[in-house]
Amino acid sequence: VDGPSDIPLLLHGLKYEKKDTVSYLNEGNSEKLFAKTLRGVLKDYLPPSLARETFLEITRLEQQIYCWENRGPRVMELLTTPDKILSGRPSVIVLSEYDVHYEIADYNRDKRKGGDETFKKSMKDRGYDGIYFVKPGGGSGMAVWWDRDIFSWNL
C-alpha cells in the first residue's frame, strides 16, 4: 500500500497510515489496530533485494493461481463432487464472504464446449437451488445452496 488510493473502496474501515501499514477499528472495543502489508512484513525480515523478489513472485503466483478463472472451477469441484466421507454430495452448501454469484468461469473445465458460465448457473446445472444475501452496502454476502432433489423453497 503506497497511498490511500491503493485501498479498495469495498474494504470499509481500512485506513491508510503510512507505506505498507493500514489501520482498522476492533469491532469489539473500537480499539485502533495496525497491520502491515505482506510487502511490509517481507521488508522487515528479509534483505531488500530478496524481499522485493519474494513479493513479486508471490504476487505473480497469486494472480495465476488465485484468480477466479482458475480457482472457481476448483472450488466448484470441491463443493459439488460426491465425497467418500459424506457418502455422496452435500445436501446444503453455505458460503460466507460470497461474492462470485455472477462470476464467469469454465466451471466444467471444458473449454472445448465453451463452458464459461456464471457460478449461479453452474450450481443450478448441478442440481442446486439457492439464495444470495448481500451485505448492506454491497460487496460480498452469504449464499445458501440446497440440493433441489431433497429440499424445496415454498413461499
Side-chain angles (χ1 to χ4, degrees), residues 93-98 101 119 130-133 141-145:
I93 298 170
V94 179
L95 303 170
S96 63
E97 298 303 322
Y98 177 81
H101 204 61
F119 190 89
I131 189 164
Y132 175 30
F133 302 95
M142 182 179 88
V144 179
W145 297 96

Side-chain angles (χ1 to χ4, degrees), residues 111-152:
K111 294 277 185 210
R112 293 170 292 139
K113 293 183 179 178
D116 289 353
E117 60 188 1
T118 65
F119 190 89
K120 175 184 174 182
K121 181 178 181 322
S122 188
M123 287 296 284
K124 288 194 171 287
D125 289 350
R126 286 169 166 73
Y128 289 92
D129 284 330
I131 189 164
Y132 175 30
F133 302 95
V134 181
K135 284 183 184 176
S140 65
M142 182 179 88
V144 179
W145 297 96
W146 56 87
D147 184 328
R148 78 172 68 93
D149 290 338
I150 299 172
F151 302 103
S152 63

Side-chain angles (χ1 to χ4, degrees), residues 4-154:
S5 62
D6 289 340
I7 299 175
L9 295 175
L10 289 174
L11 295 177
H12 304 287
L14 202 60
K15 182 181 172 198
Y16 174 81
E17 292 292 332
K18 62 182 182 180
K19 187 170 183 168
D20 293 324
T21 303
V22 295
S23 67
Y24 58 96
L25 295 179
N26 180 333
E27 290 182 18
N29 62 14
S30 297
E31 173 188 6
K32 188 174 187 178
L33 301 172
F34 296 89
K36 283 205 171 198
T37 63
L38 174 61
R39 183 175 67 183
V41 170
L42 292 171
K43 283 181 178 179
D44 286 351
Y45 292 97
L46 297 174
S49 63
L50 184 57
R52 178 174 162 65
E53 184 180 317
T54 302
F55 180 74
L56 291 173
E57 180 63 9
I58 289 171
T59 303
R60 182 188 71 76
L61 288 171
E62 179 182 42
Q63 291 170 353
Q64 176 185 339
I65 296 169
Y66 295 114
C67 71
W68 191 252
E69 183 179 320
N70 294 325
R71 188 170 54 122
R74 292 193 312 263
V75 169
M76 180 65 67
E77 186 176 320
L78 284 170
L79 291 174
T80 61
T81 301
D83 184 279
K84 292 177 185 173
I85 295 171
L86 297 174
S87 299
R89 65 190 210 134
S91 301
V92 176
I93 298 170
V94 179
L95 303 170
S96 63
E97 298 303 322
Y98 177 81
D99 61 357
V100 297
H101 204 61
Y102 302 107
E103 289 294 320
I104 295 174
D106 183 11
Y107 296 106
N108 295 315
R109 296 183 184 213
D110 192 356
K111 294 277 185 210
R112 293 170 292 139
K113 293 183 179 178
D116 289 353
E117 60 188 1
T118 65
F119 190 89
K120 175 184 174 182
K121 181 178 181 322
S122 188
M123 287 296 284
K124 288 194 171 287
D125 289 350
R126 286 169 166 73
Y128 289 92
D129 284 330
I131 189 164
Y132 175 30
F133 302 95
V134 181
K135 284 183 184 176
S140 65
M142 182 179 88
V144 179
W145 297 96
W146 56 87
D147 184 328
R148 78 172 68 93
D149 290 338
I150 299 172
F151 302 103
S152 63
W153 180 278
N154 297 318

